[in-house]
Amino acid sequence: MNPEQIAANKDAFGIAGQVAVVTGASSGLGRASAISLGGGGAKVVVNHLPASAVAAAEVCREIEGLGGEAVAYAADVSDEDQVAAMFADSVARFGTLHILVNNTGIQDGAKFQDMTLAQWQKVIDVNLTGMFLCSRAAIREFLRRGPQPEVSRATGKIICMSSVHQVIPWAFEANYAASKGGVHMLMQSLAQEFATHKIRVNAVAPGAIRTRINRSVWETEEAMRNLLDLVPYARIGEPADIGHAVLWLASDLSDYMNATTMFVDGGMSAYPAFRGAG
Ligand code: BGC
């Protein structure tokens, strides 16, 4: 579905008027998630770093072009004060919050023996501590507001962007894989802790999706051939593949989904090297 089709069918998703914060929404998977939710009629806070203000404004314009409402907000998700301010300002502007997409993620790999503490720390701070800070802020608001059954069956929905590397070990990217393993247990622990409050917490685990983060694995024909050896479905993923999963997880269509990771990876996590081998 393209964003216009989502917008034309927004009644099917039932998220119109709900408020969503999407972190790292100026590009890649965050952008696609924000546009899907915005197309579905959610009011979207498009979080970004200051350097990506132009791209974030463009995402807001796209959402407005679909008839939605969006506001760009610069904040570093690994900074406690900036996160607190972003959620306070979002609630002040839109009244409350219904959906958090914890998307922001970075890679900064190295041979393990050469990995600096700064490299380790930065990836853990952004990918994992960022999700802690944003989830805590969102949950505080969900608990403060309480149920709104006329809006959604769930009091709040949190969607964490994980990765196939929450289960597939990744040499030279130990910090990234460790952060995503952490995301998995953070997501499940929150789901377990808040299920009785009707707060749903799930994750999306993308495989190889065509974004800036992994340009080197798809930009040449040879790289793409090598990549597709790892993808049984024989195509690279597109950001919209992830946006669609996020839209569904944010809607009541997935109301009985909790504590689950949806792998959106063309089968990458199904050990394709074992096809006819082993
Ligand atoms: C990484 C990408 C990689 C993909 C599959 C993602 O989590 O960010 O760089 O292509 O996993 O390995």
Side-chain angles (χ1 to χ4, degrees), residues 100 102 157-162 183 187-188 191 199-204 249-250 254-262:
L100 166 64
N102 271 321
K157 287 129 328 186
I158 297 181
I159 298 145
C160 299
M161 203 57 76
S162 186
V183 166
M187 177 278 284
Q188 290 208 315
I199 294 171
R200 294 195 294 118
V201 190
N202 291 289
V204 175
L249 283 174
S254 63
D255 187 57
Y256 207 48
M257 294 278 286
N258 197 24
T260 293
T261 299
M262 258 175 92

Side-chain angles (χ1 to χ4, degrees), residues 52-105:
S52 304
V54 173
E58 180 54 36
V59 173
C60 292
R61 263 197 304 280
E62 276 193 53
I63 291 172
E64 285 155 10
L66 296 167
E69 206 177 324
V71 60
Y73 199 102
D76 173 349
V77 294
S78 67
D79 182 297
E80 186 170 21
D81 293 340
Q82 292 183 35
V83 168
M86 174 168 71
F87 281 83
D89 290 349
S90 302
V91 170
R93 179 175 178 130
F94 292 121
T96 186
L97 176 74
H98 304 95
I99 300 160
L100 166 64
V101 183
N102 271 321
N103 165 76
T104 303

Side-chain angles (χ1 to χ4, degrees), residues 80-133:
E80 186 170 21
D81 293 340
Q82 292 183 35
V83 168
M86 174 168 71
F87 281 83
D89 290 349
S90 302
V91 170
R93 179 175 178 130
F94 292 121
T96 186
L97 176 74
H98 304 95
I99 300 160
L100 166 64
V101 183
N102 271 321
N103 165 76
T104 303
I106 57 169
Q107 273 178 235
D108 188 4
K111 288 182 184 162
F112 191 70
Q113 64 272 34
D114 298 333
M115 188 177 282
T116 64
L117 178 58
Q119 270 178 305
W120 170 266
Q121 200 68 60
K122 178 82 183 157
V123 171
I124 299 293
D125 281 354
V126 173
N127 295 9
L128 188 54
T129 308
M131 288 203 194
F132 158 68
L133 291 171

Side-chain angles (χ1 to χ4, degrees), residues 6 36 47 71-72 83 89 97 111 122 132 140 145 156 169 173 175 178 184 191 194 198 203 247 255:
I6 291 174
S36 285
N47 163 255
V71 60
V83 168
D89 290 349
L97 176 74
K111 288 182 184 162
K122 178 82 183 157
F132 158 68
R140 286 175 176 166
R145 184 210 346 112
E173 301 278 356
N175 48 358
H184 172 62
F194 293 102
K198 307 229 38 135
L247 174 59
D255 187 57

Side-chain angles (χ1 to χ4, degrees), residues 130-237:
M131 288 203 194
F132 158 68
L133 291 171
C134 292
S135 301
R136 191 182 61 176
I139 283 172
R140 286 175 176 166
E141 172 56 19
F142 298 156
L143 295 176
R144 182 200 67 77
R145 184 210 346 112
Q148 265 183 334
E150 68 289 1
V151 173
S152 173
R153 296 178 72 180
T155 302
K157 287 129 328 186
I158 297 181
I159 298 145
C160 299
M161 203 57 76
S162 186
S163 163
V164 289
H165 298 295
Q166 74 170 40
V167 294
I168 302 179
W170 212 12
F172 314 110
E173 301 278 356
N175 48 358
Y176 183 85
S179 74
K180 295 302 184 180
V183 166
H184 172 62
M185 288 314 297
L186 174 64
M187 177 278 284
Q188 290 208 315
S189 299
L190 294 182
Q192 194 188 67
E193 189 164 339
F194 293 102
T196 52
H197 292 274
K198 307 229 38 135
I199 294 171
R200 294 195 294 118
V201 190
N202 291 289
V204 175
I209 313 295
R210 193 194 307 269
T211 70
R212 204 170 55 191
I213 209 170
N214 61 357
R215 177 179 290 279
S216 64
V217 303
W218 51 262
E219 68 183 345
T220 67
E221 253 178 55
E222 195 198 345
M224 183 66 104
R225 247 194 326 275
N226 292 336
L227 173 67
L228 293 186
D229 282 345
L230 301 176
V231 186
Y233 203 55
R235 73 165 171 89
I236 191 168

